[in-house]
Structure formats: C-alpha cells, structure tokens
Amino acid sequence: MLVLDQAQRLPGPALEFLRGLWDHPDTDTALVLAGSGSERALRRVPALASRVLTWELVPRLGRPEVATVMAAFHPLWEDVTEDDVAWVDEHVGHGDFRTWAKLTSHLTAETYGRSRAVVDRRMLERACARLMGPL
C-alpha cells in the first residue's frame, strides 16, 4: 500500500508515474491518494482517474469522537480529561486531525524525558498558543 497525502499537489508526471506503477504487471499495489482537491488532480490524468475504485470523503471529527480518536492515536491523550479535550477542540482543534497531530507533537516535545507526564490545562494552553497565538 502506498499512501500519499497532499496528492492534489502532485504534478502531472508524478501522477503518470503512479498510473504506470498501478498498471505494471509485477506490481501488487494499492494507492491511497489523500488531500483536499486530489480528485480534481487525478482527473487531469484520465488513465489514472479511471482506475479509482472509490472516492471517500473524510469529514472532520465530531465532538464526541475527538477524545476517543486522540486516545487511540497517541497515549499522551489517554489521561487528558474530556473537558480539556473539548476545550482544545473548541478553541483550536475544530475536529481537524492535522491540527490535533500538531498539538500532539508540541505536547510530546514538552513532555519528552518526563516519566508519565500529566497533560493539564496549562500545558494544553501553551501548546495551543504555539499553533494559534495567545488565547
């Protein structure tokens, strides 16, 4: 399986290469092309677009899903209270997984070297400020 994010930014020759990879008889590959607008990019290469099995829209995470998904994504979120997760989602997360991944990166850097650091509201505020400026 080959997963490419931001597929809408791939130039035509790269998309043609992927079509060739897909068509090669010795290749047993699944391509997952992700990114807002990637369907328009693929349509520039009709030979590749015609091979799409399905188009999927991945919506933003709903409020009830965020805590569960983030706890499954990274253990750092397992002990964060649901109220704190809701606060982060309301202020900066907005159900956008990419934003949540960035927050996770900031929090991981802040807790690096600490054994079982607890992520509290103050730490969350600092991480959010790094992304969005002061709250």
Side-chain angles (χ1 to χ4, degrees):
M1 177 179 292
L2 177 60
V3 179
L4 297 168
D5 194 9
Q6 300 295 320
Q8 74 277 10
R9 295 182 179 182
L10 291 172
L15 293 170
E16 287 289 349
F17 174 80
L18 291 173
R19 189 212 39 89
L21 179 67
W22 176 262
D23 285 345
H24 194 278
D26 293 334
T27 301
D28 187 16
T29 301
L31 297 174
V32 178
L33 304 175
S36 179
S38 57
E39 66 282 355
R40 286 186 304 276
L42 260 65
R43 288 194 175 103
R44 291 189 322 245
V45 181
L48 181 59
S50 69
R51 288 157 174 79
V52 172
L53 177 62
T54 186
W55 299 98
E56 293 291 331
L57 173 64
V58 180
R60 292 179 182 270
L61 298 170
R63 292 252 168 139
E65 300 170 298
V66 172
T68 303
V69 169
M70 293 316 299
F73 171 64
H74 197 284
L76 180 130
W77 293 104
E78 290 173 354
D79 297 326
V80 177
T81 69
E82 284 189 32
D83 286 343
D84 282 345
V85 170
W87 179 87
V88 169
D89 196 52
E90 180 181 331
H91 287 86
V92 298
H94 309 294
D96 182 68
F97 189 80
R98 184 180 307 261
T99 301
W100 279 95
K102 290 177 191 177
L103 284 168
T104 303
S105 178
H106 286 300
L107 291 166
T108 301
E110 188 165 337
T111 60
Y112 181 77
R114 298 183 196 174
S115 62
R116 198 68 179 139
V118 176
V119 176
D120 59 13
R121 177 67 66 95
R122 190 171 162 162
M123 193 180 293
L124 291 169
E125 288 171 353
R126 285 193 303 268
C128 290
R130 286 186 197 109
L131 291 180
M132 308 304 282
L135 300 175

